[in-house]
Amino acid sequence: RDVYKRQAGNWAGLSAGLAFTVLPVVQRYQQEGRSYALVTACVAGAAWMLVTALQRKRRRYWWGCAALLLTAGLLNWFSLLALPAFAVTVAIAARRGARRTARAW
């Protein structure tokens, strides 16, 4: 249950998601049929899987993170720029402890 309330709560997440969907740039690319919304969803899901993997230490979350990043990379190779950020997060988690890193996200 606490996995979903890491940052600011359910209402903050819902508000951010709704605000993202009404941004003019996002709407323009949705109308053109581009894959940017799907790429964004994959990278956001991979970030969630990464933080959950660091907290719970289960392989299925690592595999989920890898699968989502692979999907995002196949859709748009610029999404692979998230990999260095994820690597830094894992390095910090190994150094400081996973619980503190997950709280920082």
Side-chain angles (χ1 to χ4, degrees):
R1 184 175 148 185
D2 64 332
V3 174
Y4 300 107
K5 294 187 178 182
R6 273 190 207 112
Q7 299 279 318
N10 293 337
W11 287 107
L14 181 64
S15 301
L18 291 175
F20 181 74
T21 59
V22 298
L23 287 173
V25 172
V26 175
Q27 287 182 355
R28 180 177 141 221
Y29 287 132
Q30 287 173 351
Q31 289 172 355
E32 291 178 0
R34 302 223 179 175
S35 63
Y36 298 132
L38 188 56
V39 170
T40 302
C42 286
V43 172
W48 180 82
M49 289 276 189
L50 175 70
V51 172
T52 305
L54 290 172
Q55 278 187 336
R56 296 188 180 178
K57 302 204 186 308
R58 293 187 182 156
R59 285 188 184 177
R60 66 180 173 181
Y61 293 110
W62 289 107
W63 283 107
C65 180
L68 286 171
L69 279 176
L70 177 66
T71 303
L74 290 172
L75 290 171
N76 187 341
W77 65 277
F78 279 116
S79 66
L80 296 178
L81 291 172
L83 283 175
F86 285 10
V88 168
T89 302
V90 171
I92 291 172
R95 193 170 180 197
R96 293 186 182 171
R99 296 238 182 240
R100 288 180 57 193
T101 304
R103 269 188 257 135
W105 268 74

